Amino acid sequence: MASTEVLLDRPCDGVAVITFNRPEQMNAVRPSTVSAFIDVISSVSGDIATRAVILTGAGRGFCSGMDLSARAEFPPQDVPQATEWMRELFRGAVAWSELPQPTIAAINGPAIGGGFGFALASDIRIASPQARFAATFVKIAMGPDAGLSHTLPRVVGHAKALELLLTADTVDADEALELGIVSKVSADPMAAAITLAQRFAAVPEHVSRRIKATLQRSASADLPTAISEIEVSAQAEHYCHPEFFANAGRWLNAHA
């Protein structure tokens, strides 16, 4: 039986929408949510017809991170056991970050704690005016998770990331746009995300996936390696695909 905690919808060709569906809990995640999320991701990851994936939340919130009300599911306060439990809990964030398709977060409301992490693990983020972002971990004497220690400094810089993590300050949609946390603020972030996803879906599947992979590999490489190894390898794959000469011929005819 399919879980109701994470929904999968296909609003148009080539586009999948994944929705955290625990609106009464502001879409907080618990182990069962993670399992359902991973199942949905697995179903779209290898589907070549799915060329862009959108993540959002049901109701007023995007995701409020770990469900602190589910204490019965928490592990003992033993470091090895807690480590394994948390590694399992955040497999969903890893799976989302590893999706080969371009991903878009349609942030309809608060993205708090691990929910902030899910947002920043997305390739592109579009927020509603009601969106709020906060790394509230210090309020419960915890540190960052869901990848925020990696993604937040890359987006806002080390100093601002440390400030946000130690103060737990809330960032509204306009400040998030200024900081680069989101690329757009829209009254209807889902409509904006679908419009952008449709443009991504028009790109050949092997091209969009390889461009994303090239960016990910180049992010941890020096410039000469990016040019002479990573990009060259990807371009050779593009060049040897039948669509290259077919598209090149159409482009030349259109610009003759």
Side-chain angles (χ1 to χ4, degrees), residues 13-117:
D13 289 346
V15 178
V17 176
I18 299 174
T19 303
F20 289 126
N21 188 42
R22 303 186 73 217
E24 295 82 6
Q25 294 80 24
M26 293 296 283
N27 301 311
V29 298
R30 56 183 179 172
S32 58
T33 315
V34 172
S35 296
F37 186 50
I38 291 172
D39 287 345
V40 170
I41 288 176
S42 297
S43 73
V44 301
S45 177
D47 180 14
I48 62 171
T50 301
R51 299 188 177 186
V53 186
I54 298 168
L55 180 64
T56 194
R60 298 181 297 107
F62 176 74
C63 176
S64 58
M66 185 187 299
D67 186 354
L68 296 177
S69 69
R71 293 189 62 181
E73 300 181 45
F74 286 15
Q77 287 186 295
D78 169 80
V79 170
Q81 292 185 66
T83 298
E84 290 307 310
W85 185 85
M86 292 200 177
R87 182 174 289 118
E88 187 70 15
L89 184 67
F90 291 104
R91 285 192 308 127
V94 173
W96 176 247
S97 72
E98 291 181 337
L99 259 179
Q101 297 99 329
T103 58
I104 304 170
I107 304 160
N108 53 308
I112 308 299
F116 194 178

Side-chain angles (χ1 to χ4, degrees), residues 123 154 208-221 226 230-231 234:
D123 296 315
R154 289 183 175 223
S208 60
R209 290 187 181 217
R210 192 167 285 122
I211 288 174
K212 176 174 175 174
T214 298
L215 286 179
Q216 290 174 325
R217 292 184 62 199
S218 294
S220 58
I230 298 170
E231 290 181 351

Side-chain angles (χ1 to χ4, degrees), residues 204 206 236-250:
H206 70 284
E237 294 284 347
H238 291 307
Y239 173 78
C240 292
H241 195 282
E243 288 202 31
F244 168 69
F245 280 109
N247 283 279
R250 285 192 290 270

Side-chain angles (χ1 to χ4, degrees), residues 179-245:
L179 290 172
I181 292 172
V182 301
S183 57
K184 184 176 184 178
V185 176
S186 171
D188 191 339
M190 178 55 68
I194 289 175
T195 297
L196 185 59
Q198 286 178 304
R199 295 185 66 185
F200 292 167
V203 176
E205 172 268 339
H206 70 284
V207 174
S208 60
R209 290 187 181 217
R210 192 167 285 122
I211 288 174
K212 176 174 175 174
T214 298
L215 286 179
Q216 290 174 325
R217 292 184 62 199
S218 294
S220 58
D222 57 38
L223 183 57
T225 300
I227 295 170
S228 61
E229 298 295 334
I230 298 170
E231 290 181 351
V232 163
S233 175
Q235 288 292 63
E237 294 284 347
H238 291 307
Y239 173 78
C240 292
H241 195 282
E243 288 202 31
F244 168 69
F245 280 109

